[in-house]
Amino acid sequence: QVQLVESGGGSVQAGGSLRLSCAASGFTYSSNCMSWFRQGIGKEREGVAYINSDGSTRYADSVKGRFTISRDNAKNTLYLQMNSLQPEDTAMYYCATKSTCGYLLWPRPATYVYWGQGTQVTVSS
C-alpha cells in the first residue's frame, strides 16, 4: 500500500533552517507529482510547494525564495529545504501525492489521494 512518511520537523528560531524529508513507498514514485502542504492551528491546509515528475516546480508566494522542493527518484524521497524561517511558517507539514498532475490544481488538497502523517515545524521569534 502507499506510504508517505515525513521527518525532519522541529523547533527553530526565526531566521533558521530545516530540511524536511518524505519517504515514499507503494507506488511508482518517479511517475507521480509530489507536494508539500502545511496546516497551522485554526487554519486551512495550504499548498506550499509542488514538484512534477519531470522536476519542474511551483511554490506558494509566501515561501518563494525561501523554500526549495526537490526529489530523489533513486531514494523515493521528497525534500523541502526551508530557509529564513519565520513564526508564520509554524504548522504541521504534510507531503502528498497524486498521479493526475497539473500546475493549475496543485495547491488544492482535495485533488490529492495519498497523505503522510505530518511533521511539526515550530518557529519562535
Side-chain angles (χ1 to χ4, degrees):
Q1 71 277 22
V2 174
Q3 280 195 317
L4 299 171
V5 181
E6 301 96 335
S7 61
S11 297
V12 296
Q13 291 191 328
S17 298
L18 283 173
R19 188 195 196 201
L20 306 183
S21 299
C22 172
S25 61
F27 63 101
T28 306
Y29 176 78
S30 59
S31 299
N32 274 31
C33 44
M34 304 292 299
S35 288
W36 286 99
F37 285 80
R38 66 186 180 187
Q39 188 166 17
I41 296 175
K43 298 182 179 180
E44 293 186 355
R45 191 167 296 191
E46 63 171 346
V48 174
Y50 165 93
I51 186 165
N52 210 342
S53 56
D54 63 2
S56 53
T57 59
R58 291 293 187 273
Y59 295 92
D61 288 344
S62 59
V63 307
K64 280 180 183 177
R66 300 188 298 123
F67 291 11
T68 302
I69 188 172
S70 61
R71 64 190 300 163
D72 185 333
N73 289 341
K75 295 182 178 180
N76 283 9
T77 302
L78 177 73
Y79 302 100
L80 185 68
Q81 177 66 43
M82 306 186 295
N83 298 328
S84 301
L85 283 161
Q86 300 300 316
E88 52 265 34
D89 296 315
T90 295
M92 186 72 80
Y93 283 72
Y94 301 89
C95 65
T97 187
K98 57 182 177 177
S99 56
T100 303
C101 304
Y103 297 129
L104 183 63
L105 298 178
W106 82 262
R108 297 190 184 182
T111 65
Y112 289 79
V113 178
Y114 300 105
W115 294 82
Q117 83 290 347
T119 185
Q120 178 67 38
V121 172
T122 303
V123 186
S124 59
S125 58

